[in-house]
Short mmCIF file of all heavy atoms in Angstrom, two decimals:
data_model
loop_
_atom_site.label_atom_id
_atom_site.label_comp_id
_atom_site.label_asym_id
_atom_site.label_seq_id
_atom_site.Cartn_x
_atom_site.Cartn_y
_atom_site.Cartn_z
N LEU F 1 2.85 11.01 9.31
CA LEU F 1 1.39 11.03 9.30
C LEU F 1 0.84 10.70 7.91
O LEU F 1 -0.21 10.07 7.77
CB LEU F 1 0.88 12.39 9.76
CG LEU F 1 0.67 12.58 11.27
CD1 LEU F 1 1.94 12.32 12.07
CD2 LEU F 1 0.14 13.98 11.57
N ALA F 2 1.57 11.14 6.87
CA ALA F 2 1.10 10.91 5.50
C ALA F 2 1.13 9.43 5.12
O ALA F 2 0.35 8.98 4.27
CB ALA F 2 1.96 11.71 4.52
N THR F 3 2.02 8.65 5.73
CA THR F 3 2.16 7.24 5.34
C THR F 3 0.86 6.46 5.50
O THR F 3 0.62 5.48 4.79
CB THR F 3 3.26 6.54 6.15
OG1 THR F 3 2.91 6.54 7.54
CG2 THR F 3 4.60 7.24 5.96
N PHE F 4 0.00 6.90 6.42
CA PHE F 4 -1.22 6.14 6.68
C PHE F 4 -2.24 6.29 5.55
O PHE F 4 -3.14 5.45 5.42
CB PHE F 4 -1.82 6.57 8.02
CG PHE F 4 -0.96 6.14 9.19
CD1 PHE F 4 0.03 6.97 9.67
CD2 PHE F 4 -1.13 4.90 9.78
CE1 PHE F 4 0.85 6.58 10.72
CE2 PHE F 4 -0.32 4.50 10.83
CZ PHE F 4 0.67 5.33 11.31
N ARG F 5 -2.12 7.34 4.73
CA ARG F 5 -3.02 7.45 3.57
C ARG F 5 -2.73 6.33 2.58
O ARG F 5 -3.64 5.85 1.89
CB ARG F 5 -2.85 8.79 2.88
CG ARG F 5 -3.02 10.03 3.76
CD ARG F 5 -4.42 10.21 4.30
NE ARG F 5 -4.65 9.41 5.48
CZ ARG F 5 -4.17 9.70 6.69
NH1 ARG F 5 -3.38 10.73 6.88
NH2 ARG F 5 -4.46 8.92 7.73
N SER F 6 -1.46 5.91 2.48
CA SER F 6 -1.14 4.80 1.58
C SER F 6 -1.77 3.51 2.05
O SER F 6 -2.20 2.68 1.24
CB SER F 6 0.38 4.64 1.47
OG SER F 6 0.94 5.63 0.64
N ILE F 7 -1.81 3.28 3.36
CA ILE F 7 -2.43 2.06 3.89
C ILE F 7 -3.93 2.11 3.66
O ILE F 7 -4.55 1.13 3.26
CB ILE F 7 -2.11 1.87 5.38
CG1 ILE F 7 -0.61 1.91 5.63
CG2 ILE F 7 -2.69 0.55 5.88
CD1 ILE F 7 -0.23 1.83 7.10
N GLU F 8 -4.55 3.27 3.94
CA GLU F 8 -6.00 3.39 3.77
C GLU F 8 -6.41 3.12 2.32
O GLU F 8 -7.42 2.45 2.08
CB GLU F 8 -6.45 4.80 4.16
CG GLU F 8 -6.38 5.07 5.65
CD GLU F 8 -6.48 6.54 5.98
OE1 GLU F 8 -6.48 7.38 5.05
OE2 GLU F 8 -6.54 6.87 7.18
N ALA F 9 -5.66 3.64 1.36
CA ALA F 9 -6.02 3.49 -0.06
C ALA F 9 -5.37 2.29 -0.71
O ALA F 9 -5.76 1.91 -1.81
CB ALA F 9 -5.63 4.76 -0.82
N ARG F 10 -4.33 1.72 -0.05
CA ARG F 10 -3.51 0.64 -0.64
C ARG F 10 -2.93 1.08 -1.98
O ARG F 10 -3.01 0.40 -2.99
CB ARG F 10 -4.32 -0.64 -0.79
CG ARG F 10 -4.57 -1.37 0.50
CD ARG F 10 -3.29 -1.68 1.25
NE ARG F 10 -3.52 -2.50 2.44
CZ ARG F 10 -2.68 -2.58 3.47
NH1 ARG F 10 -1.56 -1.87 3.45
NH2 ARG F 10 -2.94 -3.34 4.49
N ARG F 11 -2.32 2.29 -1.93
CA ARG F 11 -1.65 2.84 -3.10
C ARG F 11 -0.31 3.42 -2.67
O ARG F 11 -0.13 3.87 -1.53
CB ARG F 11 -2.49 3.96 -3.74
CG ARG F 11 -3.82 3.50 -4.33
CD ARG F 11 -3.62 2.55 -5.50
NE ARG F 11 -4.86 2.25 -6.20
CZ ARG F 11 -5.64 1.20 -5.96
NH1 ARG F 11 -5.30 0.33 -5.01
NH2 ARG F 11 -6.74 1.01 -6.66
N SER F 12 0.63 3.43 -3.60
CA SER F 12 1.91 4.10 -3.35
C SER F 12 1.69 5.60 -3.28
O SER F 12 0.74 6.13 -3.86
CB SER F 12 2.89 3.80 -4.48
OG SER F 12 3.13 2.41 -4.61
N MET F 13 2.59 6.28 -2.57
CA MET F 13 2.55 7.74 -2.53
C MET F 13 3.88 8.30 -3.02
O MET F 13 4.95 7.84 -2.60
CB MET F 13 2.27 8.27 -1.11
CG MET F 13 2.27 9.80 -1.03
SD MET F 13 2.02 10.48 0.64
CE MET F 13 0.28 10.14 0.87
N ILE F 14 3.78 9.28 -3.91
CA ILE F 14 4.95 10.05 -4.38
C ILE F 14 4.88 11.39 -3.66
O ILE F 14 3.89 12.12 -3.80
CB ILE F 14 4.89 10.25 -5.90
CG1 ILE F 14 4.87 8.91 -6.63
CG2 ILE F 14 6.03 11.11 -6.38
CD1 ILE F 14 4.48 9.00 -8.09
N ARG F 15 5.91 11.72 -2.91
CA ARG F 15 5.84 12.92 -2.05
C ARG F 15 7.06 13.81 -2.27
O ARG F 15 8.18 13.44 -1.96
CB ARG F 15 5.75 12.49 -0.58
CG ARG F 15 5.45 13.62 0.38
CD ARG F 15 5.13 13.08 1.77
NE ARG F 15 4.60 14.13 2.61
CZ ARG F 15 5.35 14.93 3.37
NH1 ARG F 15 6.67 14.76 3.39
NH2 ARG F 15 4.81 15.87 4.11
N SER F 16 6.81 15.00 -2.81
CA SER F 16 7.88 15.94 -3.13
C SER F 16 7.75 17.18 -2.26
O SER F 16 6.68 17.80 -2.21
CB SER F 16 7.82 16.31 -4.61
OG SER F 16 8.83 17.25 -4.93
N THR F 17 8.85 17.58 -1.61
CA THR F 17 8.84 18.74 -0.74
C THR F 17 10.00 19.68 -1.09
O THR F 17 10.98 19.27 -1.69
CB THR F 17 8.97 18.34 0.74
OG1 THR F 17 10.29 17.86 0.97
CG2 THR F 17 7.98 17.25 1.11
N ASN F 18 9.86 20.94 -0.66
CA ASN F 18 10.89 21.95 -0.97
C ASN F 18 12.20 21.70 -0.25
O ASN F 18 13.28 21.76 -0.84
CB ASN F 18 10.39 23.35 -0.57
CG ASN F 18 9.17 23.77 -1.34
OD1 ASN F 18 8.13 23.14 -1.24
ND2 ASN F 18 9.29 24.82 -2.11
N THR F 19 12.11 21.45 1.06
CA THR F 19 13.30 21.35 1.90
C THR F 19 13.38 20.02 2.64
O THR F 19 14.20 19.87 3.53
CB THR F 19 13.32 22.50 2.93
OG1 THR F 19 12.10 22.49 3.67
CG2 THR F 19 13.47 23.85 2.24
N GLY F 20 12.56 19.07 2.28
CA GLY F 20 12.53 17.77 2.94
C GLY F 20 11.33 17.68 3.88
O GLY F 20 10.83 18.69 4.35
N VAL F 21 10.82 16.49 4.07
CA VAL F 21 11.42 15.25 3.61
C VAL F 21 10.61 14.73 2.41
O VAL F 21 9.41 14.50 2.52
CB VAL F 21 11.39 14.19 4.72
CG1 VAL F 21 11.99 12.88 4.26
CG2 VAL F 21 12.07 14.71 6.00
N SER F 22 11.29 14.59 1.24
CA SER F 22 10.66 13.99 0.07
C SER F 22 10.81 12.47 0.17
O SER F 22 11.80 11.98 0.73
CB SER F 22 11.32 14.48 -1.21
OG SER F 22 11.27 15.90 -1.30
N ALA F 23 9.84 11.73 -0.36
CA ALA F 23 9.88 10.28 -0.13
C ALA F 23 9.00 9.52 -1.10
O ALA F 23 8.08 10.07 -1.72
CB ALA F 23 9.44 9.98 1.30
N PHE F 24 9.31 8.23 -1.21
CA PHE F 24 8.44 7.25 -1.86
C PHE F 24 7.89 6.34 -0.76
O PHE F 24 8.65 5.80 0.05
CB PHE F 24 9.21 6.42 -2.88
CG PHE F 24 9.75 7.22 -4.03
CD1 PHE F 24 11.12 7.33 -4.23
CD2 PHE F 24 8.90 7.86 -4.92
CE1 PHE F 24 11.64 8.06 -5.29
CE2 PHE F 24 9.41 8.60 -5.99
CZ PHE F 24 10.78 8.70 -6.17
N ILE F 25 6.56 6.18 -0.73
CA ILE F 25 5.90 5.36 0.28
C ILE F 25 5.17 4.24 -0.44
O ILE F 25 4.45 4.49 -1.42
CB ILE F 25 4.90 6.21 1.10
CG1 ILE F 25 5.63 7.40 1.75
CG2 ILE F 25 4.20 5.36 2.15
CD1 ILE F 25 4.70 8.45 2.30
N ASP F 26 5.34 3.01 0.03
CA ASP F 26 4.69 1.89 -0.65
C ASP F 26 3.28 1.66 -0.10
O ASP F 26 2.88 2.28 0.89
CB ASP F 26 5.57 0.63 -0.58
CG ASP F 26 5.56 -0.06 0.77
OD1 ASP F 26 4.79 0.34 1.67
OD2 ASP F 26 6.34 -1.01 0.95
N PRO F 27 2.47 0.79 -0.73
CA PRO F 27 1.08 0.59 -0.31
C PRO F 27 0.94 -0.01 1.09
O PRO F 27 -0.18 -0.09 1.61
CB PRO F 27 0.52 -0.35 -1.38
CG PRO F 27 1.35 -0.10 -2.59
CD PRO F 27 2.73 0.13 -2.05
N LEU F 28 2.02 -0.46 1.69
CA LEU F 28 2.00 -0.94 3.08
C LEU F 28 2.28 0.18 4.07
O LEU F 28 2.32 -0.05 5.28
CB LEU F 28 3.03 -2.06 3.26
CG LEU F 28 2.66 -3.39 2.63
CD1 LEU F 28 3.90 -4.24 2.39
CD2 LEU F 28 1.68 -4.14 3.51
N GLY F 29 2.48 1.40 3.57
CA GLY F 29 2.79 2.52 4.44
C GLY F 29 4.24 2.62 4.82
O GLY F 29 4.61 3.42 5.68
N ARG F 30 5.10 1.84 4.17
CA ARG F 30 6.52 1.87 4.48
C ARG F 30 7.23 2.92 3.63
O ARG F 30 6.94 3.07 2.44
CB ARG F 30 7.14 0.49 4.23
CG ARG F 30 6.53 -0.62 5.07
CD ARG F 30 7.10 -1.98 4.77
NE ARG F 30 6.94 -2.37 3.37
CZ ARG F 30 7.10 -3.60 2.91
NH1 ARG F 30 7.41 -4.58 3.76
NH2 ARG F 30 6.95 -3.88 1.63
N ILE F 31 8.15 3.64 4.24
CA ILE F 31 8.94 4.65 3.52
C ILE F 31 10.05 3.92 2.78
O ILE F 31 11.02 3.46 3.39
CB ILE F 31 9.50 5.69 4.49
CG1 ILE F 31 8.35 6.40 5.23
CG2 ILE F 31 10.35 6.71 3.74
CD1 ILE F 31 8.80 7.28 6.37
N ALA F 32 9.90 3.80 1.46
CA ALA F 32 10.86 3.04 0.66
C ALA F 32 12.18 3.79 0.52
O ALA F 32 13.25 3.17 0.52
CB ALA F 32 10.27 2.74 -0.71
N ASP F 33 12.09 5.11 0.38
CA ASP F 33 13.31 5.92 0.26
C ASP F 33 12.93 7.36 0.56
O ASP F 33 11.78 7.77 0.32
CB ASP F 33 13.90 5.80 -1.15
CG ASP F 33 15.38 6.18 -1.19
OD1 ASP F 33 15.93 6.54 -0.13
OD2 ASP F 33 15.98 6.10 -2.27
N SER F 34 13.88 8.13 1.07
CA SER F 34 13.58 9.52 1.41
C SER F 34 14.84 10.37 1.32
O SER F 34 15.96 9.84 1.28
CB SER F 34 13.00 9.61 2.82
OG SER F 34 13.93 9.17 3.79
#
């Protein structure tokens, strides 16, 4: 669900979580790595 904020803003997202899933999301809403 969070990936769509990257598309709306056209910005990358840095996402850090305690137990997963942590990820890098690119401005196209694609999960680059997790």
